[in-house]
Amino acid sequence: DVFFFCVARHNRTRIFLGFPQKIEHTTNWQAVSLAWSNRLDQNRIAVGSFIEDTHNKIRVLQIDESFENMTETCTFTHPCVPAKIQFHPSSEKQKVDLLMSCGGKEVRVWDLSSSQGSALLSQTMATKESKVLSSFDWSSHAPHNIVITSGLDGLCHIWDINIPTSPLFIIDAHDSREVYDVAISSTETNEFASVGEDGMLRLFDLRKLDESRVLYYSNDRNQPLIQVAWNSIDSHLIGVVALNSNAVVVMDTRVPGRPLHQLQGHSDCVNSIAWAPNSPEHICSVGNDRMAKIWLLNRPDSILEYRLNQPIHQVRWSASSPD
């Protein structure tokens, strides 16, 4: 299956495409964020830098039809570390070619269709009261106007990108504890999930934001949950990763409190997970043990593995070429 993952160590980052092919692109900076374009007519990836100053980078790479080469199409300056980046969620070509990023206190929307070959800042979404943003998710439901951000102040902001000056709603998602990630359901228009410092996976409904449902507590309630990934086909399945944990926990939204699966095959902490876009039963995990593992949920061991010579920090699975 075609997905890509990133190896970051010191000041060099390698992006690998596999399985079975492997191509790579080396940057002169460490990467912190990755994205794969959702458009079916092209294979593009974007990678964001981790540089401790105000001159960070986002680079966009085009993969050729033979999946043998990656070519840089543009690199543009980002004013802070881009904690997350995401292409427009539609699988169809849009009038404007948009990329979204979050970093610092702002979500920025970039236009990649510039004739100069570099991105132009289209708009920003930010509130003066916000602390540093940790993540965001861009709704895959047409008209693709809803964006939800998570922050280190415990708040989630719900935005309409057509009204960037003020959020639609602000909720205290984790009782003022830091929120580390958020995911919008790709099958249920109004549902989203968040995870954070309190070790909880919480579910929300945009139609009744005054309440939430705790779906999962980490075994050690002082162990934060750092990533949440919602299955793009089966709306009942959500994967989460805990800080410094070597397991991937898969929850069924109909059975709160009891993991459906605990995928334990890494020898060191898991850093990132990604669901297969064309199968509800496959998920990929990568970690500090230098392993990328693909799991079939009803099997106790991974069905495919790939070992590198360095820890793997991010994984994204291609929607345009899932097989």
Side-chain angles (χ1 to χ4, degrees), residues 178-307:
E178 295 180 350
V179 187
Y180 295 135
D181 198 17
V182 63
I184 302 173
S185 170
S186 58
T187 56
E188 302 297 328
T189 308
N190 294 295
E191 295 183 2
F192 70 96
S194 65
V195 292
E197 181 186 16
D198 58 6
M200 292 184 187
L201 166 62
R202 290 180 178 263
L203 301 185
F204 296 87
D205 190 314
L206 290 173
R207 296 164 295 190
K208 43 185 178 181
L209 287 171
D210 57 337
E211 58 186 67
S212 66
R213 183 159 63 102
V214 177
L215 184 61
Y216 174 70
Y217 254 129
S218 60
N219 292 331
D220 178 355
R221 296 198 179 186
N222 293 317
Q223 184 179 37
L225 299 179
I226 58 173
Q227 187 187 357
V228 55
W230 208 312
N231 192 296
S232 60
I233 298 176
D234 187 339
S235 63
H236 299 301
L237 299 182
I238 299 178
V240 295
V241 175
L243 181 67
N244 297 325
S245 171
N246 66 347
V248 178
V249 174
V250 177
M251 298 297 301
D252 186 321
T253 59
R254 298 164 294 190
V255 188
R258 191 172 71 228
L260 181 66
H261 301 282
Q262 295 193 65
L263 308 175
Q264 297 177 316
H266 286 275
S267 60
D268 204 337
C269 64
V270 176
N271 292 323
S272 181
I273 56 175
W275 289 99
N278 63 341
S279 167
E281 298 180 331
H282 290 84
I283 190 170
C284 182
S285 60
V286 299
N288 272 5
D289 60 358
R290 304 173 292 173
M291 297 293 294
K293 294 175 176 282
I294 293 180
W295 307 83
L296 183 61
L297 292 185
N298 61 0
R299 301 214 184 155
D301 300 313
S302 57
I303 60 172
L304 197 59
E305 296 182 348
Y306 194 94
R307 179 182 290 275

Side-chain angles (χ1 to χ4, degrees), residues 23-25 43-45 59-64 68-75:
I23 60 176
E24 63 181 79
H25 175 85
N43 283 292
R44 286 186 305 171
I45 60 177
R59 177 168 295 173
V60 180
L61 302 164
Q62 178 72 47
I63 303 168
D64 64 16
E68 294 179 351
N69 297 287
M70 285 188 286
T71 304
E72 178 183 341
T73 60
C74 71
T75 297

Side-chain angles (χ1 to χ4, degrees), residues 105-106 125-131 153 157 159 165 167 170:
K105 298 183 179 182
E106 297 181 331
M125 291 171 279
T127 61
K128 294 180 180 179
E129 297 80 14
S130 293
K131 290 187 178 180
D153 52 6
H157 290 67
W159 299 86
T165 54
I170 304 175

